[in-house]
Amino acid sequence: MRHTALRIWLLCFLMMVWVLLWGHISVANMASGLVVAVVITVLLPLPSVPVEGKLHLLSLLKLVVLVGYYLVLSSFQVAWMAIRPGPPPLVAVLRAHLALKSDLVLALAVNIFNLIPGSIVLEIDQSRRILYIHLIDVGSDSTVQRFYRQVEQVERLLVAAFERDSDWQPSAEREAGNT
């Protein structure tokens, strides 16, 4: 059931992208978008990604709001660092350990940290769930602690939105790998 729903969602998404690329909604654009979507999914299939949790919309909304807040706040901070007088900010690579179970959610976390101005993920240790993140402005203990609080908040909301223990159902591939 889940697999079929994801396939239908992928076809609809690709069809929507096709219509947006053409710039106007018409029956011909929607039909040709559906044909292109089917061809893409048949000729270029994506590997199966196990969906092991359940989506919680309220937690997802909180995550989106928090990430939006961080995007705005860090954009202003980076802009201020660019125009303020004085020496350039101190930069560093910090290690962040995430207690995420799913590779899909780990990839989402990496994308979130890459989107936030002033930070970029340089390396991912997938087996130990450690991210090495390059940061601008680590000149004080408070900025370093603010980064780690930010990581904890994002991690907590990702778990609440996608990986609650009560909803977690390990995939067959994960179960086979743990035996």
Side-chain angles (χ1 to χ4, degrees):
M1 174 69 180
R2 212 179 230 184
H3 180 72
T4 305
L6 288 173
R7 286 281 198 193
I8 291 170
W9 166 247
L10 178 62
L11 289 173
C12 291
F13 176 76
L14 290 173
M15 183 178 72
M16 180 186 69
V17 169
W18 181 263
V19 170
L20 288 173
L21 287 172
W22 280 101
H24 65 281
I25 299 173
S26 70
V27 175
N29 279 345
M30 291 174 60
S32 62
L34 184 59
V35 169
V36 168
V38 168
V39 168
I40 287 172
T41 57
V42 169
L43 294 180
L44 305 168
L46 293 171
S48 177
V49 177
V51 179
E52 300 166 313
K54 183 177 174 186
L55 177 65
H56 295 271
L57 291 177
L58 184 59
S59 296
L60 179 63
L61 180 63
K62 289 178 184 177
L63 176 66
V64 168
V65 168
L66 180 73
V67 170
Y69 169 74
Y70 283 144
L71 287 172
V72 171
L73 177 66
S74 62
S75 293
F76 281 112
Q77 290 170 340
V78 170
W80 172 245
M81 283 185 278
I83 62 171
R84 75 173 184 208
L90 184 62
V91 298
V93 175
L94 299 179
R95 179 176 46 208
H97 182 269
L98 300 175
L100 300 173
K101 301 172 194 171
S102 166
D103 289 341
L104 186 62
V105 177
L106 179 65
L108 181 59
V110 168
N111 283 314
I112 288 170
F113 292 123
N114 281 339
L115 281 174
I116 296 173
S119 66
I120 189 162
V121 176
L122 298 176
E123 186 176 342
I124 304 165
D125 185 339
Q126 185 178 1
S127 61
R128 295 188 304 163
R129 299 296 201 236
I130 296 176
L131 304 180
Y132 295 91
I133 303 174
H134 181 272
L135 290 177
I136 297 175
D137 192 22
V138 290
S140 69
D141 285 340
S142 65
T143 57
V144 172
Q145 292 308 316
R146 185 173 60 229
F147 163 74
Y148 283 117
R149 278 193 309 273
Q150 179 180 344
V151 169
E152 288 171 8
Q153 285 179 317
V154 169
E155 176 187 27
R156 187 175 59 250
L157 287 174
L158 283 169
V159 169
F162 302 107
E163 294 188 343
R164 291 184 185 177
D165 287 335
S166 59
D167 300 323
W168 186 253
Q169 299 172 354
S171 67
E173 295 90 15
R174 185 179 302 277
E175 297 253 333
N178 288 339
T179 58

